[in-house]
Amino acid sequence: MSAFDETASPQTSATPVRATVRAVPDRVSVDGIEATWNTAWDENKTYAFDTNATREQVYSIDTPPPTVSGSLHVGHVFSYTHTDVVARYKRMQGKQVFYPMGWDDNGLPTERRVQNYYGVRCDTSLPYVEGYEPPLQGAEGKSVKAADQQPISRKNFVELCERLTGEDEKQFEALWRHLGLSVDWSRTYQTIGQDAQAVAQTAFLRNLARGEAYQAEAPGLWDVTFQTAVAQAELEARDYPGHFHKVNFHQADGTPVQIETTRPELLAACVALIAHPDDERYQHLFGTTVTSPLFNVEVPVLAHTAAEKDKGAGIAMCCTFGDLTDVQWWRELQLPTRSIIRRDGRIIAETPDWITDSAGRALFEDIANKTTFSARTAVVDALREAGDLDGEPVATQRKANFFEKGDKPLEIVTSRQWYIRNGGRDWDARPLRAELLGRGEELDFNPDFMKVRYSNWVGGLNGDWLISRQRFFGVPFPVWYPVDAEGEPQWSNPIVPSEDSLPIDPSSDVPAGYTADQRGVAGGFIGDPDIMDTWATSSLTPQIAGGWLSNPDLFERVFPMDLRPQGQDIIRTWLFSTVVRSHLEHDSLPWKHAAISGWILDPDRKKMSKSKGNVVTPMGLLEEHGSDAVRYWAASARLGTDAAFEVGQMKIGRRLAIKILNASKFALSFGAESEIVLDPALVTEELDKALLAGLADVVEKATASLEAYDHTRALELTESFFWTFCDDYLELVKDRAYADGASVPSEAAVSARTTLAIALDTLLRLFAPVLPFATEEVWSWWREGSIHNAPWPTAEVLRTAAGNANPADLAAAGNALAVLRKIKSENKVSMKTPILAATLAVPAGSLEAVRHSMTDIVAAGRATGSVELVEAAADADTQVQGGISATSYELGEPPVKTPRN
């Protein structure tokens, strides 16, 4: 009988399962079983997805594609194990589980790694070199200075990105397989692959056609190191050292108006002074003008509620642009643009025409082309000399915006960028913010408290989603622009390709109606030079993995997906952006449920991350402790809860896996020479029924927990029962199950053996999602097929076999046995020492249970004489051995030790 069939479980069929123990090893071990079973799962296509399954039969998972830019760390193992537990459980529930794996291989992390690994940098002005080989082959862990990097063409650079990510993907897959992820490895994708590019470009063109995507020349956050725009979701606010400077502007009569600033180098970019409209100190200045120090530019004094009365002098200069508040004031007060910082973070070379004063122009010529740091020093020196600096700068820690992968504060520069509407700005066409907040309410967050992070993010957005990046390795925007007769690109009239021609690369492909020799010339065209932000591609993982364009039949069977598992720190990026894309394209959520994992903390309770340098690479852990042990540690933490990195917990998991092997070996020893029939009708003894009654409770509660995405509770319940099974039940029924070697076992012996088999069958399947290797190993000793395609246990048949038995009866019998053994341990004699007589005081509520099990208790306790039961006092401490105690006893002689030869 195959374990693939529903009839392969005593919990799902009235027909008893018959099993034959084939080969139980003499010495059991968890060492090396990962390779054995990974090979078997591959050969048997154990986790292959059935493309003929209906949508109702499918459980689809939008697996997070890990960033391929180096190595995985233990945090990945933690969260991906959570997902795999769900996948394995749903598969055993009878679902066809769509569980693909993707590789997020574009974006800045990959580019940085390629630069250091190969010692190169991209220069778009250089021609492609056929057969190019880089100067380095693996400068891993080192940072190669830009001056030492060899400049190469964009095409050569992209080829190196693809080469390195291809190698990384092999290593990632090897680790995931070793961990035991039940992924269908025939279903992998790359976020830079041709299918992914076609999906990303098609979705973008449709967004553009519907007015959801647009380009704008606007101030935006800019990383001067990476030379790219940065989206709001990629920001980190960090403390950054600076100084407060008290600087005097001047009214028309020379009266000073003092402001405080940490960025005096932006004085030349000042367009106004701003104070709160209710600030009495500045009422007389509103509507007037003042003159900036050093540059002598006249600027207005204006009121705005975003000004902070209790910060500094209460009046601030608005520069274009020092921070996001400047952008708000500039936009809402319709101020002029006077930008002086270039994309490289230096002051512009040409003196602006709004500076007309000769001394001011001379100073600007002095700071031109300087870094902001050097320009700041020059301006402060000039203020000091002019007498417009009140006192000396005062050191402070200011909050500055950083790109999450950068190490310098962001600047705000004006540039042409692509955006997708996300509710951050008002749109006349539809109330998009309200619609997306509604999607958040519709989505089932696990744990539920993570929902507020989504709603807070959407409610706090102050701009649309910036999706363009000035980088090289990514999905290009599928647009060109006509060039007019004067050689100027017409940015407002993009040329778009047909969808059936996608994917395209505008830097090498030619738009319809043009020829290649018209590229970059008057009357011709140019391609859009930018690429899409990595989130703009990753936000389409359900469409990429599900075959939206390439396999519409598959897409109908898997979309909307059932589950998005991910980390809590990317709710604002990956989760939200995926909701945006699905809402705009499909008018639906991309999935029904979101499972949000917590963080892994180091011994100092700090989040583990590559940027902090405190990560642990997992392969060594998997090899040392075993994959099941590491999975046990991961599954011991609930969704949304931060967990400590604990090797001790992995050791517990390893001991559990080994105990499963050893306990199973014992339970199956009674079927070594005969067929095992898992027939609940053969369970006749009260103690056995009590065990099955307790097991039925565990099955029901563990199932409910897994349905609620609480894998930790399911594991706790199963593990707790398993140790009761080992410590109490196995010890109690051991003698009865052996039946003194009788050729025809008694009804009581058959009851014990059947109960052992049914309990083992059930417990193995309860453990299987967390401990796939150990459970598959045991399953192979006596069952056909894979345990991971066997049906999930149910409680009905267990309850039928248990009748009215009380699970507490097993605990009572176990406590009675513990009392008998305690007599021997307190007298420091062997457990094999016979008890000639004993009187046990038992609470009234447990007397009946203990009487029913006296045969097993006496045999397991080696009580050769009479054991009398009396009712315990009403105040007996039930916290100790259930209130059972020995009031008298007589020990026999310990057995003679046999000397070792």
Side-chain angles (χ1 to χ4, degrees):
M1 178 168 290
S2 169
F4 289 88
D5 301 328
E6 288 193 351
T7 53
S9 164
Q11 274 73 40
T12 59
S13 173
T15 304
V17 172
R18 297 178 180 275
T20 303
V21 179
R22 292 183 294 276
V24 178
D26 293 333
R27 181 180 176 275
V28 298
S29 173
V30 296
D31 295 330
I33 61 175
E34 293 90 353
T36 299
W37 289 112
N38 273 318
T39 300
W41 293 335
D42 272 353
E43 292 175 350
N44 297 323
K45 295 182 170 53
T46 302
Y47 308 124
F49 175 71
D50 182 0
T51 55
N52 293 316
T54 65
R55 182 63 189 90
E56 293 71 26
Q57 296 170 326
V58 170
Y59 186 88
S60 50
I61 301 173
D62 184 17
T63 318
T67 302
V68 184
S69 58
S71 60
L72 296 167
H73 60 77
V74 74
H76 292 103
V77 166
F78 177 73
S79 58
Y80 281 73
T81 296
H82 296 169
T83 307
D84 192 59
V85 170
V86 175
R88 290 180 178 280
Y89 165 68
K90 291 295 182 181
R91 193 177 288 112
M92 295 176 75
Q93 279 271 317
K95 292 287 189 179
Q96 277 295 320
V97 177
F98 182 74
Y99 189 15
M101 179 60 71
W103 312 115
D104 193 6
D105 39 18
N106 62 44
L108 279 171
T110 299
E111 290 188 22
R112 292 181 70 182
R113 184 155 183 263
V114 166
Q115 288 172 346
N116 290 325
Y117 194 90
Y118 292 119
V120 298
R121 60 182 171 85
C122 183
D123 185 336
T124 56
S125 68
L126 296 177
Y128 175 70
V129 176
E130 192 77 37
Y132 172 78
E133 286 299 322
L136 298 177
Q137 291 287 343
E140 197 65 64
K142 300 177 182 178
S143 181
V144 181
K145 294 181 179 178
D148 297 329
Q149 293 171 349
Q150 187 177 98
I152 59 175
S153 72
R154 176 175 178 171
K155 186 175 181 181
N156 286 124
F157 186 79
V158 168
E159 285 180 351
L160 291 180
C161 290
E162 291 171 342
R163 181 194 301 184
L164 190 56
T165 55
E167 291 303 312
D168 286 343
E169 286 162 14
K170 293 176 184 176
Q171 295 179 26
F172 280 30
E173 181 175 333
L175 189 143
W176 286 146
R177 286 176 177 272
H178 198 99
L179 180 64
L181 295 192
S182 58
V183 163
D184 181 349
W185 289 106
S186 69
R187 299 187 177 279
T188 60
Y189 66 87
Q190 299 171 311
T191 58
I192 196 66
Q194 292 295 294
D195 284 347
Q197 291 198 38
V199 166
Q201 291 184 344
T202 299
F204 168 77
L205 290 179
R206 293 188 183 183
N207 291 139
L208 183 62
R210 294 190 296 260
E212 298 153 0
Y214 64 92
Q215 59 179 329
E217 186 90 13
L221 294 159
W222 185 268
D223 190 288
V224 298
T225 302
F226 296 110
Q227 289 290 287
T228 188
V230 176
Q232 182 181 352
E234 299 169 306
L235 300 185
E236 282 186 4
R238 303 179 195 163
D239 287 327
Y240 190 73
H243 291 81
F244 275 121
H245 305 77
K246 295 181 179 179
V247 177
N248 291 327
F249 282 66
H250 300 279
Q251 300 179 54
D253 62 1
T255 304
V257 178
Q258 190 173 96
I259 61 99
E260 293 186 24
T261 180
T262 59
R263 301 207 62 183
E265 71 275 16
L266 294 180
L267 271 171
C270 182
V271 293
L273 295 190
I274 312 288
H276 196 279
D278 298 335
D279 196 328
E280 295 294 335
R281 294 172 293 178
Y282 303 109
Q283 295 295 317
H284 67 290
L285 291 177
F286 292 143
T288 68
T289 61
V290 294
T291 304
S292 64
L294 304 180
F295 300 101
N296 297 311
V297 175
E298 190 175 1
V299 297
V301 181
L302 304 173
H304 195 283
T305 54
E308 299 177 75
K309 292 190 290 184
D310 57 353
K311 182 177 180 180
I315 189 168
M317 66 173 183
C318 174
C319 303
T320 52
F321 296 92
D323 57 23
L324 292 174
T325 303
D326 284 343
V327 177
Q328 179 187 3
W329 287 337
W330 166 81
R331 181 177 290 122
E332 296 179 7
L333 298 174
Q334 298 183 333
L335 298 170
T337 302
R338 294 174 181 168
S339 300
I340 65 169
I341 296 182
R342 300 192 309 237
R343 291 186 177 192
D344 62 359
R346 292 177 178 268
I347 305 298
I348 58 176
E350 186 175 344
T351 302
D353 55 12
W354 64 80
I355 301 175
T356 57
D357 180 82
S358 59
R361 292 182 69 84
L363 175 59
F364 196 91
E365 289 175 4
D366 182 54
I367 66 174
N369 293 312
K370 282 183 168 25
T371 64
T372 53
F373 179 82
S374 298
R376 185 181 308 136
T377 300
V379 169
V380 171
D381 288 345
L383 286 168
R384 189 181 289 113
E385 185 177 341
D388 284 327
L389 182 69
D390 185 358
E392 286 301 305
V394 178
T396 185
Q397 286 285 332
R398 64 185 178 95
K399 284 290 183 184
N401 285 318
F402 285 74
F403 177 38
E404 59 188 1
K405 296 178 174 61
D407 53 14
K408 290 184 179 179
L410 296 172
E411 295 292 352
I412 297 176
V413 301
T414 300
S415 58
R416 182 188 61 83
Q417 303 290 344
W418 282 105
Y419 297 84
I420 287 180
R421 300 187 190 277
N422 67 354
R425 299 186 68 180
D426 291 338
W427 186 26
D428 292 339
R430 59 196 292 188
L432 193 52
R433 188 194 300 264
E435 292 173 9
L436 292 169
L437 284 169
R439 290 296 185 196
E441 291 301 313
E442 185 183 343
L443 181 60
D444 174 37
F445 279 86
N446 294 279
D448 182 68
F449 65 78
M450 288 292 175
K451 187 188 296 286
V452 71
R453 300 196 183 189
Y454 174 94
S455 57
N456 285 347
W457 174 253
V458 179
L461 285 170
N462 55 30
D464 285 328
W465 178 17
L466 171 68
I467 62 166
S468 48
R469 294 293 182 272
Q470 291 64 53
R471 300 300 301 177
F472 318 110
F473 189 48
V475 179
F477 284 93
V479 294
W480 302 269
Y481 306 95
V483 179
D484 66 16
E486 285 72 42
E488 293 296 322
Q490 302 300 292
W491 303 114
S492 59
N493 297 303
I495 303 167
V496 300
S498 60
E499 287 188 9
D500 59 10
S501 67
L502 301 177
I504 63 104
D505 184 348
S507 68
S508 55
D509 294 319
V510 177
Y514 292 84
T515 57
D517 58 4
Q518 291 180 282
R519 184 183 296 275
V521 301
F525 71 93
I526 62 168
D528 193 301
D530 293 345
I531 63 170
M532 296 183 193
D533 166 34
T534 185
W535 294 116
T537 308
S538 298
S539 62
L540 295 163
T541 49
Q543 291 84 349
I544 296 169
W548 174 43
L549 301 178
S550 59
N551 193 341
D553 178 73
L554 173 65
F555 192 65
E556 286 186 6
R557 298 173 193 273
V558 302
F559 186 88
M561 292 188 167
D562 292 278
L563 180 67
R564 156 60 70 81
Q566 65 164 72
Q568 58 183 308
D569 51 334
I570 52 174
I571 289 174
R572 71 187 194 281
T573 49
W574 191 37
L575 187 145
F576 175 58
S577 62
T578 311
V579 170
V580 170
R581 303 306 289 275
S582 180
H583 178 70
L584 295 176
E585 185 61 42
H586 307 288
D587 193 25
S588 74
L589 279 173
W591 356 261
K592 301 171 185 174
H593 310 277
I596 311 298
S597 293
W599 287 329
I600 295 303
L601 307 179
D602 67 11
D604 295 326
R605 308 299 294 178
K606 295 178 181 177
K607 175 194 172 187
M608 280 191 170
S609 68
K610 290 182 181 179
S611 62
K612 296 181 184 295
N614 61 351
V615 299
V616 176
T617 52
M619 187 56 87
L621 293 171
L622 296 175
E623 292 172 342
E624 178 181 358
H625 303 287
S627 297
D628 280 348
V630 177
R631 290 173 63 99
Y632 171 86
W633 159 74
S636 296
R638 284 181 168 81
L639 289 175
T641 303
D642 297 341
F645 172 70
E646 290 186 85
V647 171
Q649 194 76 358
M650 297 176 195
K651 292 179 178 178
I652 294 172
R654 181 179 176 85
R655 287 196 294 271
L656 174 62
I658 293 172
K659 186 65 175 181
I660 288 172
L661 297 183
N662 283 317
S664 300
K665 181 179 179 181
F666 169 77
L668 295 175
S669 63
F670 306 106
E673 298 178 358
S674 62
E675 185 180 59
I676 297 177
V677 182
L678 281 72
D679 185 356
L682 298 177
V683 179
T684 57
E685 301 300 302
E686 288 302 314
L687 183 64
D688 303 337
K689 291 181 177 183
L691 176 86
L692 297 185
L695 185 53
D697 288 344
V698 170
V699 168
E700 286 184 344
K701 292 175 182 177
T703 302
S705 296
L706 287 168
E707 286 295 320
Y709 294 93
D710 189 353
H711 53 258
T712 304
R713 180 58 178 158
L715 175 59
E716 289 171 348
L717 289 162
T718 304
E719 183 182 8
S720 176
F721 185 88
F722 174 73
W723 287 115
T724 299
F725 172 74
C726 294
D727 296 342
D728 291 347
Y729 184 76
L730 288 183
E731 294 301 319
L732 283 163
V733 304
K734 188 182 298 182
D735 287 87
R736 173 156 56 95
Y738 276 127
D740 294 326
S743 58
V744 179
S746 65
E747 182 182 84
V750 170
S751 178
R753 294 178 181 185
T754 303
T755 303
L756 285 169
I758 292 174
L760 177 63
D761 171 88
T762 305
L763 285 166
L764 288 174
R765 285 180 289 141
L766 288 172
F767 275 126
V770 177
L771 308 174
F773 294 105
T775 53
E776 187 77 299
E777 173 71 11
V778 174
W779 196 260
S780 71
W781 297 345
W782 66 309
R783 303 296 292 276
E784 298 295 331
S786 171
I787 191 173
H788 303 298
N789 284 321
W792 184 254
T794 58
E796 288 78 7
V797 176
L798 291 173
R799 294 216 180 279
T800 300
N804 296 322
N806 186 346
D809 290 359
L810 173 60
N815 286 325
L817 175 60
V819 169
L820 294 180
R821 290 181 165 178
K822 184 180 180 181
I823 293 171
K824 301 176 188 181
S825 62
E826 288 181 343
N827 284 275
K828 298 180 181 180
V829 296
S830 166
M831 287 293 136
K832 295 181 181 180
T833 302
I835 296 175
L836 303 181
T839 300
L840 300 183
V842 182
S846 300
L847 267 172
E848 187 72 13
V850 174
R851 286 198 182 100
H852 281 149
S853 304
M854 277 306 293
T855 301
D856 291 329
I857 294 169
V858 166
R862 299 294 185 267
T864 57
S866 64
V867 177
E868 183 182 356
L869 302 181
V870 297
E871 186 174 329
D875 61 352
D877 186 359
T878 57
Q879 298 301 310
V880 180
Q881 265 92 50
I884 301 174
S885 62
T887 59
S888 65
Y889 61 83
E890 180 184 354
L891 289 172
E893 290 297 321
V896 179
K897 292 184 178 180
T898 304
R900 295 181 180 179
N901 295 328

